[in-house]
Amino acid sequence: MNTVWSQFIQGANTLYYSRKLRFSELFAERYRALLKLDDRRRLKILEVGCGPGALAGALHRWYPKAEIYGLDRDSNFINFAREHEKGIEFFEGDATALPFQNGTFDVTISYTVSEHIEPKKFFGEQLRVLKSGGACIVLSNRTTAEVKAPCLDENGFEEGFWRRVAEHDDTLTKYAVRRYPLTEAELPAAMEQFGFGEVTCDYLAVGLTPDDKKFSALARDIIEEGRKSALDCLQNVARSMPEYVAAKDIEKMTELINKKYDGRLNLYERGEKQWDTAVSLIMFVRGIKN
């Protein structure tokens, strides 16, 4: 059982609920236009590094005729995905040794995974399990712009807490997070280098602004996702460096986070607009197995 990522890096709530918003039906047509998949075919689609299943769930909605499979090495994520996303086959496994036969899938897809895996292994395994003419699609976050509501600003205690954490945090090095980052030029070049042809690049900006009326159905979810992510992050800190953070400080931080997000929800309910927003620029790199 492997639970490193969910316990010490990003919790299931963080990944699932942030991605549910990012892959909301509001953006479905824009995603479908860039994925360029034939929704009339009974495609077999594998998501590599599926986490707790939000993208796999979106693919299941967008391509109802397709068979969707998700794979991740974190046991907690797979258990969460099986509970929250039905109609999908989820597997626990390693992206560098996919537990599938050669030529199994029409499409492989990943989101924010390529930067964590040595490129030859990452692309080589997907090339192996794809059918001839199959598509490898890599989604990669390029940049994020965020403007927080003033009521979510950190006070002196919070700033001191996170400074203390930063002094002792070796998570990225210890768990090889983002060990293989590739630039906007290097990522498509790597896809070509390791066997794919007809490589293309596209970009999609996804913005989430709760006070914009087009997000009225999602506004509370957008605000609550911030709370879930903040609390997840706090619990990961508590698990990874108990010798540096006292239980009473975790308790106080939890109280402060909840108080702030309760305040943000109250402002929304009263119609007092803050125009806080988060924008992600997602790169789509797509190649074909010859």
Side-chain angles (χ1 to χ4, degrees):
M1 177 181 287
N2 186 327
T3 60
V4 166
W5 200 278
S6 58
Q7 294 248 26
F8 302 114
I9 302 169
Q10 290 174 301
N13 283 329
T14 297
L15 284 184
Y16 183 73
Y17 291 104
S18 64
R19 292 181 179 187
K20 283 282 282 188
L21 292 168
R22 212 162 284 171
F23 300 121
S24 161
E25 294 308 295
L26 286 176
F27 308 116
E29 289 309 310
R30 294 162 65 185
Y31 278 108
R32 285 161 59 92
L34 295 178
L35 293 172
K36 302 173 184 173
L37 301 179
D38 188 347
D39 59 8
R40 298 166 299 181
R41 293 180 55 201
R42 300 188 68 84
L43 299 170
K44 291 187 71 169
I45 302 175
L46 171 66
E47 185 188 357
V48 178
C50 65
L55 175 54
L59 293 169
H60 183 56
R61 295 191 301 274
W62 298 342
Y63 303 99
K65 292 184 179 180
E67 296 177 34
I68 311 297
Y69 300 79
L71 176 136
D72 202 280
R73 67 179 181 177
D74 191 293
S75 308
N76 287 339
F77 287 160
I78 292 301
N79 291 336
F80 188 103
R82 287 171 177 163
E83 182 178 348
H84 288 78
E85 295 292 345
K86 304 303 180 183
I88 301 164
E89 293 285 339
F90 289 105
F91 297 87
E92 188 175 339
D94 191 337
T96 66
L98 295 172
F100 305 106
Q101 294 182 354
N102 296 355
T104 299
F105 296 98
D106 300 289
V107 180
T108 59
I109 186 168
S110 61
Y111 176 60
T112 65
V113 176
S114 61
E115 59 266 37
H116 308 300
I117 302 174
E118 193 278 318
K120 183 177 181 179
K121 295 178 181 177
F122 177 75
F123 287 113
E125 272 297 272
Q126 292 181 68
L127 188 72
R128 180 184 67 78
V129 301
L130 279 168
K131 300 174 184 177
S132 179
C136 173
I137 304 172
V138 175
L139 277 60
S140 174
N141 271 5
R142 292 291 103 183
T143 186
T144 300
E146 185 175 15
V147 177
K148 287 191 173 182
C151 65
L152 299 178
D153 287 345
E154 294 179 347
N155 64 21
F157 179 84
E158 291 170 292
E159 290 175 351
F161 177 90
W162 290 116
R163 274 198 304 270
R164 218 162 52 246
V165 167
E167 289 173 2
H168 303 287
D169 187 7
D170 64 348
T171 303
L172 300 186
T173 303
K174 184 175 181 180
Y175 299 116
V177 177
R178 290 189 59 82
R179 180 176 285 183
Y180 303 98
L182 297 175
T183 68
E184 289 82 354
E186 291 169 342
L187 186 52
M191 185 176 274
E192 288 185 319
Q193 178 184 353
F194 296 113
F196 290 94
E198 302 178 45
V199 174
T200 60
C201 293
D202 289 288
Y203 292 84
L204 173 64
V206 174
L208 297 165
T209 307
D211 289 326
D212 186 328
K213 66 179 182 180
K214 69 174 171 284
F215 293 109
S216 58
L218 295 177
R220 294 169 187 81
D221 291 339
I222 294 170
I223 295 168
E224 285 292 357
E225 185 279 322
R227 186 201 304 263
K228 290 183 177 74
S229 294
L231 292 174
D232 259 5
C233 183
L234 189 61
Q235 289 307 309
N236 286 349
V237 167
R239 282 189 289 265
S240 62
M241 50 183 73
E243 67 273 34
Y244 299 116
V245 293
K248 63 181 177 61
D249 289 342
I250 295 294
E251 184 178 344
K252 184 171 182 179
M253 286 291 293
T254 300
E255 180 183 338
L256 289 169
I257 288 168
N258 282 320
K259 183 177 180 180
K260 288 193 303 184
Y261 280 95
D262 287 345
R264 177 64 188 96
L265 280 172
N266 286 335
L267 289 172
Y268 177 77
E269 298 294 349
R270 296 201 302 265
E272 297 182 26
K273 295 185 177 182
Q274 306 299 295
W275 292 111
D276 42 332
T277 190
V279 182
S280 299
L281 182 64
I282 303 172
M283 182 181 186
F284 287 63
V285 185
R286 189 178 193 277
I288 302 298
K289 177 177 179 177
N290 297 321

